[in-house]
Amino acid sequence: MQSPKILVVGAGPAGLALALSLLKNGVAVRIIEKDARNHVGERGPGVMPRTLEIEHFLGVADDVRKAGMGMPTMHVFDPNDPYRVIKSQAMVEHVEETPAFPVTHGVMLGQWRHQAILRKHIEALGGTVELGTALVGIEQDESGATAEIVRTVDGVQIEEKTKYAYIVGADGARSAVRKTLGLNFVGETREEGRMYIVDARVDGAIEGPEKDKPEDIYLFGDREKKIASLRHTAEPGCFQMFFAGPDVDFATLRARGDQEVIQNQLNDITQRTDMKISDITWHSEWRPNIRMADRFHVGRVFIIGDAAHAHSPTGGQGLNSSIQDAFNLAWKLALVVKEHAPPTLLDSYEVERVPVIAAMLKLTTDLLDRIVSRVDTQQALARAEASAASVPDDGVFTRGWKLFQLDLNYRWSTIVRDERYAADATDSTGDVYGVEGHDVRAGDRAPDAPGLTTLTAKDRAPRAAPVTRLFDVFTPSVHTALVFAPRSAGAAQPLLDALRGLQAGLLRTALVLPAGAPREGVPSANVDLAFEDTEGHAFGGYGLDATGDAPTVVLVRPDGMVGAFARSAAGIKDYLSAVYGSA
């Protein structure tokens, strides 16, 4: 593989997802991590549905599901009788799967395990993570960005300066990249709501009423004073614990934090002595750090994930938003580095992600406020109602639809086009997480559609199973043009001709005919794939009339978002010009 043109600083979820996406695009990357060993600790375990969809496109979702567990139920124990469960509540809203939304249930997977899966797939593509390697400075000019790096090898520090086309900082909330750029990290760090988090083995009789669900969470103590939460991990017998509340002895935990102190704190809060802690693998005090950088890139240097924004963990969105950042940026970097698109395409990363992150910070902060509020909870719920997801009953701990990120959109983006609507009908950032049941527009997540019958598949490997759903058509390395032809393939020929103006290898074309439509003209259409929409989910999912006359092209970006709805050759050219500079 060629010498890396992109340096990824940080090997957490954001940096690894970015590196894997670039490698899938055939772009060599260098990944450096200042820590001397791979990260340990559960940290952000909640993997939301949209993240699982992205990881399907990256080829890692099956491994993530296999290693993870289902979303938990929280069991609240009586403070006066700590062996009696007084309430059980689902932590995540239950939503049925549909043809357009095939993934509506997330996965709980410790971040260290999640990162190990991403590393495995990176290594399979020839990539590696350089541990003990820190970025200490950056110099930029018109031709690139030079990284000043210090590597520690056998205790000896080695300094180097290496020039790259682009540098991406995925190095966490204390980001050296962000600080080097001089960006402001705007927001607050709160004392209220702080926690002490522990990953350890816990032996003893702890179970809720649903004894066959090992992923559940157990909550003990008085929520007015101090609480202890224990969550099963994928490692049998191991838990992620946190202690929170004004009466928790943070000073002693912070000063000593050994097994004896942690055990005493657990006994004190739970009023039980049958739960025995051992094998502590990670522990740390945490404060709500709710911040966002004032910019996400300067020149040839970008920041993603926690380097760009820090969330309350209450919504489980830090890891998920970070992977969204990476997936949004990767395909644009790949096109620019390969000289298929102008550098101005990269401006759309900040244009698209800043409003999304600002809205997510509001959602997760509102949820945090509901959890830590000890007076007037009803008022807090009322404040959050407009922006947070639905909350059944008192619902303080429930994560709802918007936190699934399935209706996230970039309708206001400078690089999306929709010929069906006037520009001012789609360019608002007012509701970046969408509304359930809305019509699909340019800038939205591209829906799945199962029940397809393959008519032709030019690039299918011999004896490969036929493709039967759109999510197996989309790929992180090229655009996909879905050419919906209600009457016949021949009627779509002018649109197909317009698509051929793009350089080979940048686009896959998929002709979609309604059920029962004549198949004449399919062989001569010269498309990569052709389908019959046997069950009607493709036409229906994209809001198109299967009995109409006019064909429509839906251009799906490599990040699985709709780039354009086009009904004319001019509309196609307009979109391709916005992305590629010329078409």
Side-chain angles (χ1 to χ4, degrees):
M1 188 173 283
Q2 72 271 29
S3 297
K5 292 186 177 181
I6 297 175
L7 174 67
V8 178
V9 183
L16 294 173
L18 177 75
L20 180 58
S21 300
L22 289 167
L23 289 167
K24 290 277 185 179
N25 276 272
V27 175
V29 295
R30 182 183 182 187
I31 315 160
I32 63 173
E33 167 57 52
K34 64 179 176 58
D35 291 342
R37 62 171 183 156
N38 291 316
H39 300 157
V40 298
E42 290 289 303
R43 306 194 188 197
V47 185
M48 291 296 176
R50 181 54 182 169
T51 301
L52 288 173
E53 290 185 346
I54 289 172
E55 295 191 323
H56 170 77
F57 302 140
L58 290 173
V60 303
D62 288 346
D63 287 351
V64 169
R65 285 194 180 92
K66 189 180 300 181
M69 303 186 299
M71 285 295 181
T73 297
M74 174 174 281
H75 304 293
V76 181
F77 285 77
D78 187 346
N80 299 312
D81 181 0
Y83 294 89
R84 184 174 74 92
V85 173
I86 57 174
K87 181 178 182 179
S88 295
Q89 177 177 314
M91 289 289 289
V92 177
E93 179 184 358
H94 178 78
V95 178
E96 293 293 334
E97 298 171 352
T98 69
F101 296 99
V103 182
T104 57
H105 303 93
V107 167
M108 297 294 284
L109 179 64
Q111 192 166 308
W112 68 279
R113 285 176 174 268
H114 201 160
Q115 291 175 194
I117 291 170
L118 292 170
R119 286 196 304 272
K120 181 185 77 171
H121 285 262
I122 286 170
E123 289 163 3
L125 294 174
T128 188
V129 175
E130 297 178 39
L131 297 172
T133 306
L135 180 133
V136 296
I138 298 173
E139 297 176 356
Q140 295 194 65
D141 59 32
E142 292 183 359
S143 63
T146 299
E148 299 175 30
I149 295 170
V150 175
R151 293 184 291 125
T152 302
V153 180
D154 297 329
V156 178
Q157 290 192 337
I158 302 171
E159 297 180 0
E160 67 167 275
K161 284 190 176 184
T162 307
K163 194 167 190 175
Y164 300 90
Y166 294 96
I167 296 174
V168 182
D171 50 341
R174 297 183 176 90
S175 171
V177 174
R178 187 189 65 244
K179 292 173 182 176
T180 299
L181 294 176
L183 297 176
N184 295 317
F185 208 31
V186 182
E188 62 175 335
T189 299
R190 297 183 179 182
E191 284 299 314
E192 184 180 34
R194 64 177 168 163
M195 308 173 189
Y196 199 87
I197 305 172
V198 182
D199 292 346
R201 173 171 293 279
V202 180
D203 296 310
I206 175 171
E207 57 186 28
E210 300 179 57
K211 297 180 182 180
D212 59 340
K213 287 187 66 181
E215 66 265 29
D216 285 354
I217 297 176
Y218 310 106
L219 187 67
F220 297 88
D222 183 344
R223 283 168 59 183
E224 298 284 333
K225 299 176 181 178
K226 51 188 174 182
I227 58 172
S229 169
L230 290 87
R231 179 188 64 81
H232 282 281
T233 72
E235 189 74 23
C238 293
F239 290 77
Q240 181 183 54
M241 294 178 278
F242 75 75
F243 308 132
D247 291 354
V248 170
D249 189 359
F250 287 104
T252 302
L253 286 165
R254 185 167 54 246
R256 287 177 54 192
D258 56 22
Q259 182 171 319
E260 180 184 0
V261 169
I262 293 171
Q263 181 71 66
N264 290 340
Q265 194 69 205
L266 179 66
N267 294 350
D268 177 57
I269 296 174
T270 64
Q271 294 298 296
R272 292 174 55 161
T273 59
D274 56 340
M275 294 182 285
K276 302 299 182 183
I277 295 173
S278 62
D279 300 335
I280 297 172
T281 57
W282 183 81
H283 60 100
S284 178
E285 184 177 8
W286 177 89
R287 288 177 173 81
N289 194 26
I290 303 161
R291 296 181 181 274
M292 177 174 165
D294 52 357
R295 293 197 61 186
F296 284 11
H297 88 104
V298 176
R300 291 176 170 268
V301 183
F302 296 80
I303 53 174
I304 63 175
D306 288 354
H309 43 85
H311 301 251
S312 156
T314 47
Q317 295 302 301
L319 174 144
N320 296 279
S321 293
S322 297
I323 289 178
Q324 292 264 9
D325 289 348
F327 206 50
N328 180 287
L329 179 60
W331 68 274
K332 299 169 185 177
L333 276 174
L335 286 177
V336 173
V337 166
K338 292 178 178 180
E339 300 182 346
H340 294 316
T344 51
L345 174 64
L346 299 173
D347 295 338
S348 66
Y349 165 65
E350 189 173 82
V351 168
E352 293 179 350
R353 292 302 296 166
V354 165
V356 169
I357 295 303
M360 181 51 66
L361 284 170
K362 183 180 189 311
L363 283 171
T364 54
T365 303
D366 283 345
L367 186 54
L368 174 67
D369 288 343
R370 294 207 306 271
I371 291 173
V372 302
S373 176
R374 296 185 301 279
V375 284
D376 206 356
T377 300
Q378 293 304 314
Q379 184 179 12
L381 285 168
R383 285 199 311 269
E385 185 176 1
S387 59
S390 59
V391 181
D393 302 321
D394 64 354
V396 170
F397 293 102
T398 302
R399 282 75 169 148
W401 175 260
K402 286 192 176 182
L403 297 181
F404 293 4
Q405 299 195 4
L406 292 170
D407 275 330
L408 179 150
N409 68 85
Y410 305 131
R411 293 184 180 184
W412 62 90
S413 174
T414 53
I415 60 166
V416 303
R417 301 288 189 269
D418 198 323
E419 279 198 297
R420 303 169 304 162
Y421 302 101
D424 59 0
T426 59
D427 63 2
S428 171
T429 59
D431 199 345
V432 302
Y433 283 90
V435 178
E436 284 186 77
H438 63 76
D439 292 335
V440 178
R441 298 190 179 188
D444 291 357
R445 162 195 169 276
D448 194 10
L452 302 176
T453 299
T454 301
L455 305 179
T456 63
K458 185 188 301 182
D459 56 358
R460 193 176 78 197
R463 294 184 297 279
V467 175
T468 61
R469 57 183 292 211
L470 288 182
F471 269 22
D472 290 338
V473 176
F474 303 151
T475 165
S477 58
V478 297
H479 272 75
T480 302
L482 302 176
V483 184
F484 290 89
R487 293 296 183 185
S488 67
Q493 200 60 54
L495 299 183
L496 288 167
D497 291 341
L499 291 168
R500 292 192 187 100
L502 193 61
Q503 181 177 330
L506 299 180
L507 179 75
R508 293 178 79 194
T509 51
L511 181 68
V512 184
L513 301 176
R519 301 183 182 183
E520 291 82 3
V522 171
S524 61
N526 194 26
V527 293
D528 297 302
L529 296 158
F531 300 107
E532 180 178 341
D533 187 17
T534 310
E535 299 177 8
H537 298 309
F539 275 88
Y542 284 81
L544 300 174
D545 184 2
T547 64
D549 294 317
T552 300
V553 171
V554 179
L555 284 150
V556 180
R557 308 185 332 182
D559 61 354
M561 305 297 285
V562 176
F565 276 84
R567 288 180 168 170
S568 68
I572 291 171
K573 186 172 182 179
D574 183 31
Y575 173 74
L576 296 181
S577 296
V579 173
Y580 296 97
S582 60

